Amino acid sequence: MFARRRHAYFAMMGTCIALFVLAWGVVRLWSIPVAVGMCVVAMVIPPLAAIVANRRGPEDRWWDDPSGDPKSDEWWDELDGKHHRP
């Protein structure tokens, strides 16, 4: 799943760079407002790419990882109902 998120991130960032380059290298010769609009769209892509790259999938079980503190882990397991005390 990590590879899929990484590929999506690089595709989005590549699109961002392509929009900037095309906007000011080609499109501005015909229409400056369209070039500015392309840059506005490109400006929105990097935050979305960061969100896509850093989101957790349903198979990423990071909340189940032990913290390393046995007392804290025991307390959280008790709250989650994993260990029933007799």
Side-chain angles (χ1 to χ4, degrees):
M1 197 61 178
F2 176 71
R4 186 178 307 164
R5 289 193 308 254
R6 187 177 55 201
H7 289 162
Y9 174 79
F10 284 120
M12 291 175 80
M13 293 306 288
T15 302
C16 176
I17 291 171
L19 281 172
F20 272 120
V21 170
L22 287 174
W24 296 114
V26 178
V27 176
R28 73 170 169 90
L29 300 173
W30 289 281
S31 174
I32 291 180
V34 172
V36 171
M38 289 173 68
C39 285
V40 168
V41 170
M43 180 181 67
V44 173
I45 293 174
L48 295 176
I51 291 169
V52 166
N54 290 316
R55 69 184 169 96
R56 300 270 185 192
E59 68 281 348
D60 295 335
R61 305 286 299 191
W62 57 271
W63 60 86
D64 286 345
D65 291 342
S67 67
D69 179 19
K71 189 170 185 175
S72 176
D73 291 339
E74 180 183 334
W75 183 76
W76 281 108
D77 287 344
E78 183 180 338
L79 282 179
D80 291 339
K82 291 183 181 177
H83 297 286
H84 298 288
R85 290 189 168 173

